[in-house]
Amino acid sequence: MNLSKKAILVLEDGRTFHGASFGADGETFGEMVFNTSMTGYQEILTDPSYAGQIVCMTYPLIGNYGTNTEDTESRRPWVEGFVVREASTVASNWRSTETLDAYLKRNNIVGIEHIDTRALVRHIRDKGAMRAAVSSVDLDPESLLKKVLASPEMANRELASAVTAEKTFNFPAAQEQKFHVVAYDFGVKTNSLREFSKFGCKITVVPADTSADEVLALEPDGIFLSNGPGDPASMTKVVEQVKKLAETQTPIFGICLGHQLIGQVFGGETYKLKFGHRGGNQPIKDLTTGRVEITSHNHGFAVDAESLPADVEVTHINLNDNTVAGLRHKTLPVFSVQYHPESAPGPHDSEYLFERFIGLMENS
């Protein structure tokens, strides 16, 4: 990183933060969001759900343990930009192969440090997530603001097609194969595939635009709808295909964006949250058991509970704001959660959901 190289962050309401450049030199645009995780920055950088977004980490020192080749959750970083209070110049971990700064440079991700991230996060919490720019080449706030206002908004933006796999691929079972799961890749994370694999599932990962007929031709025991970026309301064609799949009585498990799509499949509506949920410390109550789990989240949209029909039951709620965090159909083998049970990064309280899906496939 170059502490003498200046950089600025400009929000669409004109609020400006001056700092130092790190990572790649240049300028970038996206929706300004924040993540409250204390660790796991490499998994966050490579989570495809962050496509179209500039991420601010609330924990003040990021990069302590460097980066490595094993903690990536997809084929490359997807964040549009990275904002931290202080980027560590030293990588202190035996697994580290590269500093965070070098990793961002190599992947052409623009970053800014030495800004007041607390002030930025308080502003976003007060005003809501909004478009922003980070630049180390254009340091004129007025010039950059004009570019921000010309950049696309997140509402009604379809991004799954930008991050999905180009072609179908297989992920083998880690033990004797018991089930075959077809996973829709809207931005799937590698740890989701590892979770299925360790329970004896072979996973066939298919692109986001795969039709219901193509999925059924693969003869799956179950179907997984992954996390992903963008506005779920923009994905009407995918919703139609999932609706056809649900009617076949094939077990379906959705997370994050997949959960929002399942809500729409059964007639529910989604809406944009003020600043979303992003981090590894969200308290979720399982209404079917009364158990509270601490969970990992990354989403800016939610399912409207009031819009769900009588044959869909809300199974989980977020205890911070009572938003819908899980649902299931009362007669079809379909359920979903708003969060990330693969926990990369995050606590492992939610692994039981993979076992619940295994149980559905066993009984179907």
Side-chain angles (χ1 to χ4, degrees):
M1 63 201 67
N2 183 359
L3 296 183
S4 63
K5 177 78 173 179
K6 294 181 179 180
I8 63 170
L9 186 160
V10 176
L11 300 174
E12 73 171 276
D13 64 358
R15 183 82 184 263
T16 301
F17 295 82
H18 296 266
S21 170
F22 85 108
D25 199 24
E27 68 182 30
T28 188
F29 303 87
E31 181 184 44
M32 188 71 243
V33 299
F34 61 89
N35 187 298
T36 58
S37 297
M38 295 174 69
T39 61
Y41 50 82
Q42 188 172 355
E43 293 93 329
I44 291 164
L45 290 166
T46 54
D47 180 350
S49 296
Y50 281 116
Q53 295 176 326
I54 298 170
V55 179
C56 171
M57 300 299 293
T58 62
Y59 190 72
L61 185 61
I62 299 295
N64 314 45
Y65 53 86
T67 63
N68 60 64
T69 57
E70 298 164 28
D71 290 343
T72 55
E73 284 299 312
S74 64
R75 59 189 180 273
R76 68 173 178 85
W78 291 99
V79 301
E80 303 299 331
F82 204 42
V83 182
V84 302
R85 177 69 186 92
E86 181 180 348
S88 176
T89 57
V90 178
S92 302
N93 190 278
W94 65 273
R95 297 171 70 236
S96 175
T97 57
E98 197 172 18
T99 66
L100 174 60
D101 181 54
Y103 180 77
L104 294 181
K105 280 186 168 72
R106 182 165 60 82
N107 287 284
N108 200 34
I109 304 296
V110 177
I112 184 173
E113 65 168 330
H114 294 300
I115 72 162
D116 188 342
T117 51
R118 290 178 300 178
L120 172 61
V121 170
R122 286 175 68 91
H123 189 77
I124 294 298
R125 282 181 59 89
D126 184 40
K127 306 294 184 182
M130 62 183 78
R131 291 171 293 173
V134 175
S135 178
S136 60
V137 291
D138 181 357
L139 301 179
D140 179 1
E142 291 186 9
S143 167
L144 209 53
L145 178 58
K146 289 179 182 178
K147 297 176 191 176
V148 170
L149 295 174
S151 66
E153 296 188 31
M154 187 57 72
N156 300 312
R157 193 175 179 192
E158 191 279 312
L159 286 168
S161 59
V163 303
T164 191
E166 293 183 4
K167 58 183 180 181
T168 298
F169 68 91
N170 292 317
F171 197 95
Q175 52 174 288
E176 180 186 353
Q177 183 181 325
K178 300 175 183 175
F179 303 102
H180 177 211
V181 174
V182 171
Y184 266 97
D185 178 14
F186 304 126
V188 71
K189 294 172 68 179
T190 303
N191 214 48
S192 289
L193 306 182
R194 292 193 200 102
E195 286 288 329
F196 284 121
S197 175
K198 79 178 186 183
F199 286 113
C201 298
K202 170 193 170 184
I203 311 99
T204 301
V205 182
V206 299
D209 62 355
T210 304
S211 70
D213 290 339
E214 289 173 303
V215 169
L216 294 172
L218 296 169
E219 300 182 348
D221 297 305
I223 297 163
F224 176 65
L225 306 180
S226 82
N227 59 289
D231 186 344
S234 68
M235 299 180 65
T236 52
K237 291 181 180 178
V238 173
V239 168
E240 287 302 315
Q241 298 307 307
V242 176
K243 188 177 294 184
K244 291 180 182 177
L245 292 170
E247 291 168 353
T248 69
Q249 300 278 337
T250 305
I252 299 177
F253 174 30
I255 68 169
C256 203
L257 179 64
H259 158 82
Q260 296 159 2
L261 296 177
I262 285 174
Q264 292 180 93
V265 161
F266 297 124
E269 297 177 354
T270 56
Y271 63 98
K272 196 173 191 303
L273 295 166
K274 185 176 181 181
F275 48 80
H277 304 148
R278 296 174 183 88
N281 54 358
Q282 297 279 331
I284 298 298
K285 185 172 184 178
D286 185 339
L287 300 177
T288 64
T289 64
R291 181 173 178 263
V292 175
E293 56 201 271
I294 303 302
T295 62
S296 179
H297 284 236
N298 174 14
H299 66 106
F301 294 85
V303 175
D304 180 4
E306 299 298 318
S307 69
L308 292 170
D311 54 1
V312 174
E313 174 188 9
V314 174
T315 57
H316 298 70
I317 58 167
N318 188 312
L319 293 177
N320 283 339
D321 57 9
N322 291 314
T323 51
V324 176
L327 56 84
R328 73 174 183 91
H329 197 275
K330 292 180 179 178
T331 58
L332 297 172
V334 179
F335 75 104
S336 62
V337 292
Q338 180 57 81
Y339 46 99
H340 283 253
E342 85 286 344
S343 306
H348 296 174
D349 296 15
S350 309
E351 192 174 58
Y352 72 92
L353 292 162
F354 290 96
E355 297 179 63
R356 188 175 287 182
F357 185 50
I358 298 296
L360 274 184
M361 291 191 289
E362 286 175 339
N363 297 324
S364 65

PDB file of all heavy atoms in Angstrom, residues 189-202:
ATOM      1  N   LYS A 189     -21.233 -20.351  -3.068  1.00  0.00           N
ATOM      2  CA  LYS A 189     -19.940 -20.346  -2.385  1.00  0.00           C
ATOM      3  C   LYS A 189     -19.419 -21.779  -2.265  1.00  0.00           C
ATOM      4  O   LYS A 189     -20.199 -22.719  -2.065  1.00  0.00           O
ATOM      5  CB  LYS A 189     -20.070 -19.704  -1.007  1.00  0.00           C
ATOM      6  CG  LYS A 189     -20.404 -18.211  -1.088  1.00  0.00           C
ATOM      7  CD  LYS A 189     -20.727 -17.634   0.266  1.00  0.00           C
ATOM      8  CE  LYS A 189     -19.521 -17.591   1.180  1.00  0.00           C
ATOM      9  NZ  LYS A 189     -19.859 -16.999   2.495  1.00  0.00           N
ATOM     10  N   THR A 190     -18.121 -21.930  -2.365  1.00  0.00           N
ATOM     11  CA  THR A 190     -17.509 -23.258  -2.358  1.00  0.00           C
ATOM     12  C   THR A 190     -17.839 -24.037  -1.090  1.00  0.00           C
ATOM     13  O   THR A 190     -18.013 -25.255  -1.131  1.00  0.00           O
ATOM     14  CB  THR A 190     -15.978 -23.135  -2.523  1.00  0.00           C
ATOM     15  OG1 THR A 190     -15.707 -22.426  -3.731  1.00  0.00           O
ATOM     16  CG2 THR A 190     -15.322 -24.502  -2.598  1.00  0.00           C
ATOM     17  N   ASN A 191     -17.971 -23.352   0.042  1.00  0.00           N
ATOM     18  CA  ASN A 191     -18.224 -24.078   1.281  1.00  0.00           C
ATOM     19  C   ASN A 191     -19.602 -24.716   1.317  1.00  0.00           C
ATOM     20  O   ASN A 191     -19.810 -25.718   2.007  1.00  0.00           O
ATOM     21  CB  ASN A 191     -18.006 -23.191   2.506  1.00  0.00           C
ATOM     22  CG  ASN A 191     -17.447 -23.975   3.679  1.00  0.00           C
ATOM     23  OD1 ASN A 191     -16.492 -24.734   3.527  1.00  0.00           O
ATOM     24  ND2 ASN A 191     -18.063 -23.838   4.839  1.00  0.00           N
ATOM     25  N   SER A 192     -20.564 -24.164   0.584  1.00  0.00           N
ATOM     26  CA  SER A 192     -21.866 -24.830   0.473  1.00  0.00           C
ATOM     27  C   SER A 192     -21.688 -26.188  -0.192  1.00  0.00           C
ATOM     28  O   SER A 192     -22.278 -27.193   0.234  1.00  0.00           O
ATOM     29  CB  SER A 192     -22.837 -23.975  -0.348  1.00  0.00           C
ATOM     30  OG  SER A 192     -23.248 -22.833   0.357  1.00  0.00           O
ATOM     31  N   LEU A 193     -20.867 -26.223  -1.241  1.00  0.00           N
ATOM     32  CA  LEU A 193     -20.619 -27.479  -1.944  1.00  0.00           C
ATOM     33  C   LEU A 193     -19.880 -28.463  -1.039  1.00  0.00           C
ATOM     34  O   LEU A 193     -20.172 -29.659  -1.033  1.00  0.00           O
ATOM     35  CB  LEU A 193     -19.818 -27.211  -3.226  1.00  0.00           C
ATOM     36  CG  LEU A 193     -20.413 -26.165  -4.177  1.00  0.00           C
ATOM     37  CD1 LEU A 193     -19.542 -26.029  -5.423  1.00  0.00           C
ATOM     38  CD2 LEU A 193     -21.841 -26.517  -4.549  1.00  0.00           C
ATOM     39  N   ARG A 194     -18.926 -27.950  -0.245  1.00  0.00           N
ATOM     40  CA  ARG A 194     -18.204 -28.818   0.690  1.00  0.00           C
ATOM     41  C   ARG A 194     -19.151 -29.414   1.732  1.00  0.00           C
ATOM     42  O   ARG A 194     -18.997 -30.573   2.129  1.00  0.00           O
ATOM     43  CB  ARG A 194     -17.104 -28.027   1.406  1.00  0.00           C
ATOM     44  CG  ARG A 194     -15.942 -27.583   0.525  1.00  0.00           C
ATOM     45  CD  ARG A 194     -14.789 -27.101   1.400  1.00  0.00           C
ATOM     46  NE  ARG A 194     -13.865 -26.266   0.665  1.00  0.00           N
ATOM     47  CZ  ARG A 194     -13.818 -24.946   0.729  1.00  0.00           C
ATOM     48  NH1 ARG A 194     -14.654 -24.287   1.496  1.00  0.00           N
ATOM     49  NH2 ARG A 194     -12.930 -24.269   0.022  1.00  0.00           N
ATOM     50  N   GLU A 195     -20.105 -28.630   2.206  1.00  0.00           N
ATOM     51  CA  GLU A 195     -21.056 -29.110   3.205  1.00  0.00           C
ATOM     52  C   GLU A 195     -21.885 -30.274   2.647  1.00  0.00           C
ATOM     53  O   GLU A 195     -22.046 -31.306   3.297  1.00  0.00           O
ATOM     54  CB  GLU A 195     -21.976 -27.982   3.672  1.00  0.00           C
ATOM     55  CG  GLU A 195     -21.307 -26.981   4.590  1.00  0.00           C
ATOM     56  CD  GLU A 195     -21.037 -27.561   5.978  1.00  0.00           C
ATOM     57  OE1 GLU A 195     -21.806 -28.419   6.445  1.00  0.00           O
ATOM     58  OE2 GLU A 195     -20.037 -27.154   6.592  1.00  0.00           O
ATOM     59  N   PHE A 196     -22.423 -30.093   1.443  1.00  0.00           N
ATOM     60  CA  PHE A 196     -23.179 -31.182   0.820  1.00  0.00           C
ATOM     61  C   PHE A 196     -22.294 -32.404   0.605  1.00  0.00           C
ATOM     62  O   PHE A 196     -22.699 -33.537   0.844  1.00  0.00           O
ATOM     63  CB  PHE A 196     -23.763 -30.726  -0.520  1.00  0.00           C
ATOM     64  CG  PHE A 196     -24.965 -29.843  -0.393  1.00  0.00           C
ATOM     65  CD1 PHE A 196     -24.972 -28.572  -0.929  1.00  0.00           C
ATOM     66  CD2 PHE A 196     -26.108 -30.290   0.257  1.00  0.00           C
ATOM     67  CE1 PHE A 196     -26.082 -27.749  -0.811  1.00  0.00           C
ATOM     68  CE2 PHE A 196     -27.229 -29.484   0.377  1.00  0.00           C
ATOM     69  CZ  PHE A 196     -27.218 -28.210  -0.156  1.00  0.00           C
ATOM     70  N   SER A 197     -21.073 -32.154   0.162  1.00  0.00           N
ATOM     71  CA  SER A 197     -20.138 -33.231  -0.151  1.00  0.00           C
ATOM     72  C   SER A 197     -19.865 -34.111   1.061  1.00  0.00           C
ATOM     73  O   SER A 197     -19.850 -35.348   0.974  1.00  0.00           O
ATOM     74  CB  SER A 197     -18.828 -32.640  -0.686  1.00  0.00           C
ATOM     75  OG  SER A 197     -17.854 -33.630  -0.895  1.00  0.00           O
ATOM     76  N   LYS A 198     -19.670 -33.493   2.221  1.00  0.00           N
ATOM     77  CA  LYS A 198     -19.312 -34.279   3.405  1.00  0.00           C
ATOM     78  C   LYS A 198     -20.471 -35.116   3.916  1.00  0.00           C
ATOM     79  O   LYS A 198     -20.275 -36.073   4.664  1.00  0.00           O
ATOM     80  CB  LYS A 198     -18.751 -33.376   4.494  1.00  0.00           C
ATOM     81  CG  LYS A 198     -19.755 -32.599   5.301  1.00  0.00           C
ATOM     82  CD  LYS A 198     -19.023 -31.788   6.366  1.00  0.00           C
ATOM     83  CE  LYS A 198     -19.991 -31.093   7.304  1.00  0.00           C
ATOM     84  NZ  LYS A 198     -19.295 -30.258   8.288  1.00  0.00           N
ATOM     85  N   PHE A 199     -21.698 -34.789   3.486  1.00  0.00           N
ATOM     86  CA  PHE A 199     -22.868 -35.590   3.846  1.00  0.00           C
ATOM     87  C   PHE A 199     -23.184 -36.644   2.784  1.00  0.00           C
ATOM     88  O   PHE A 199     -24.269 -37.230   2.776  1.00  0.00           O
ATOM     89  CB  PHE A 199     -24.093 -34.692   4.066  1.00  0.00           C
ATOM     90  CG  PHE A 199     -24.050 -33.919   5.350  1.00  0.00           C
ATOM     91  CD1 PHE A 199     -23.931 -32.535   5.339  1.00  0.00           C
ATOM     92  CD2 PHE A 199     -24.123 -34.573   6.574  1.00  0.00           C
ATOM     93  CE1 PHE A 199     -23.896 -31.821   6.531  1.00  0.00           C
ATOM     94  CE2 PHE A 199     -24.089 -33.857   7.770  1.00  0.00           C
ATOM     95  CZ  PHE A 199     -23.972 -32.485   7.748  1.00  0.00           C
ATOM     96  N   GLY A 200     -22.230 -36.870   1.869  1.00  0.00           N
ATOM     97  CA  GLY A 200     -22.405 -37.925   0.875  1.00  0.00           C
ATOM     98  C   GLY A 200     -23.191 -37.504  -0.353  1.00  0.00           C
ATOM     99  O   GLY A 200     -23.812 -38.351  -1.018  1.00  0.00           O
ATOM    100  N   CYS A 201     -23.165 -36.220  -0.671  1.00  0.00           N
ATOM    101  CA  CYS A 201     -23.873 -35.732  -1.851  1.00  0.00           C
ATOM    102  C   CYS A 201     -22.904 -35.431  -2.989  1.00  0.00           C
ATOM    103  O   CYS A 201     -21.887 -34.756  -2.782  1.00  0.00           O
ATOM    104  CB  CYS A 201     -24.644 -34.453  -1.535  1.00  0.00           C
ATOM    105  SG  CYS A 201     -25.934 -34.637  -0.286  1.00  0.00           S
ATOM    106  N   LYS A 202     -23.228 -35.925  -4.166  1.00  0.00           N
ATOM    107  CA  LYS A 202     -22.588 -35.438  -5.386  1.00  0.00           C
ATOM    108  C   LYS A 202     -23.383 -34.225  -5.833  1.00  0.00           C
ATOM    109  O   LYS A 202     -24.615 -34.251  -5.835  1.00  0.00           O
ATOM    110  CB  LYS A 202     -22.611 -36.510  -6.474  1.00  0.00           C
ATOM    111  CG  LYS A 202     -22.189 -35.996  -7.850  1.00  0.00           C
ATOM    112  CD  LYS A 202     -22.524 -36.999  -8.945  1.00  0.00           C
ATOM    113  CE  LYS A 202     -22.327 -36.382 -10.322  1.00  0.00           C
ATOM    114  NZ  LYS A 202     -22.744 -37.298 -11.418  1.00  0.00           N
TER     115      LYS A 202
END
